[in-house]
């Protein structure tokens, strides 16, 4: 799914009316030097997130800190949609607690979060701002709802297992 999200974005942004796959496509990049600096710094945070999501155990506090740093960076450069997404995902990470987790479903969801954030950064690079990141932001919000539901289910399941063990 992650690669599909990015591929669809590239197809949509480069497509024109009646364009065939054999015709060259041109993508105008509207980012200025300041936005390129933001994108470089933000991608550094995303790279750290990728490493954290791929680790054996998901360290929620470390993931939340990186997302908080990305949100702060986004606010500094006035990229509020990215800031909203990063803050909301960071809030989810803090809700998941300090205990490391090896939940593969949550790992997949956090991988999707990283993909959406990367796609938003690509859009900022091309468009010059995150004003058109509404679809990605809405998708992040849907994933947040699903992840919270999954976390509550896992918590109830652990509690039920503990009761059976006692």
């Amino acid at each position: 799914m992650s690669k599909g999200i990015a591929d669809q974005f590239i197809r949509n942004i480069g497509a024109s009316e009646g364009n065939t796959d054999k015709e060259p496509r041109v993508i105008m990049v509207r980012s200025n030097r300041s936005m390129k600096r933001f994108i470089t710094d933000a991608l550094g945070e995303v790279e750290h997130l990728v490493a954290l999501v791929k680790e054996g155990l998901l360290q929620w506090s470390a993931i939340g800190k990186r997302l908080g740093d990305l949100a702060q960076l986004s606010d500094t450069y006035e990229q509020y949609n990215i800031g909203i997404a990063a803050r909301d995902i960071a809030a989810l990470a803090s809700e998941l607690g300090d205990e490391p987790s090896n939940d593969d479903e949550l790992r997949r969801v956090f991988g999707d979060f990283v993909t959406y954030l990367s796609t938003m950064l690509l859009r900022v690079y091309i468009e010059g701002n995150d004003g058109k990141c509404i679809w990605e932001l809405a998708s992040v919000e849907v994933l947040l709802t699903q992840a919270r539901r999954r976390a509550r289910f896992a918590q109830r399941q652990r509690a039920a297992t503990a009761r059976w063990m006692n």
Side-chain angles (χ1 to χ4, degrees):
M1 178 174 168
S2 299
K3 184 175 180 336
I5 294 166
D7 288 345
Q8 182 63 37
F9 173 75
I10 295 295
R11 276 194 302 276
N12 288 345
I13 208 151
S16 65
E17 299 287 326
N19 191 4
T20 66
D21 288 337
K22 295 177 182 161
E23 294 178 19
R25 295 181 182 171
V26 175
I27 298 175
M28 294 288 289
V29 175
R30 296 180 181 94
S31 290
N32 58 27
R33 184 174 295 162
S34 174
M35 281 301 103
K36 289 176 184 174
R37 180 81 240 155
F38 162 69
I39 292 163
T40 301
D41 293 346
L43 283 174
E45 295 299 332
V46 170
E47 285 179 29
H48 290 292
L49 285 169
V50 168
L52 289 169
V53 170
K54 287 186 175 184
E55 281 185 10
L57 290 176
L58 295 167
Q59 304 289 331
W60 299 122
S61 58
I63 290 171
K65 182 197 177 315
R66 288 294 176 183
L67 288 161
D69 292 347
L70 179 59
Q72 186 175 12
L73 183 64
S74 299
D75 289 345
T76 301
Y77 285 90
E78 298 178 348
Q79 301 304 304
Y80 298 114
N81 288 327
I82 294 174
I84 290 168
R87 255 188 303 288
D88 289 351
I89 301 166
L92 172 63
S94 70
E95 289 172 21
L96 293 172
D98 289 332
E99 263 193 56
S101 170
N102 61 356
D103 188 324
D104 287 334
E105 183 66 23
L106 286 176
R107 181 183 315 282
R108 184 193 60 75
V109 169
F110 271 81
D112 288 346
F113 286 144
V114 170
T115 300
Y116 281 118
L117 290 169
S118 299
T119 304
M120 292 170 92
L121 291 171
L122 177 60
R123 191 178 293 274
V124 169
Y125 177 69
I126 294 170
E127 298 290 336
N129 62 53
D130 71 349
K132 293 186 177 179
C133 292
I134 303 303
W135 184 83
E136 292 88 356
L137 184 58
S139 297
V140 164
E141 296 300 324
V142 168
L143 278 176
L144 283 166
T145 301
Q146 292 173 353
R148 284 188 174 103
R149 187 179 312 126
R150 168 72 180 143
R152 285 191 305 269
F153 174 76
Q155 186 178 25
R156 285 192 300 263
Q157 196 172 25
R158 283 190 302 272
T161 302
R163 281 193 304 270
W164 279 100
M165 296 300 264
N166 290 331

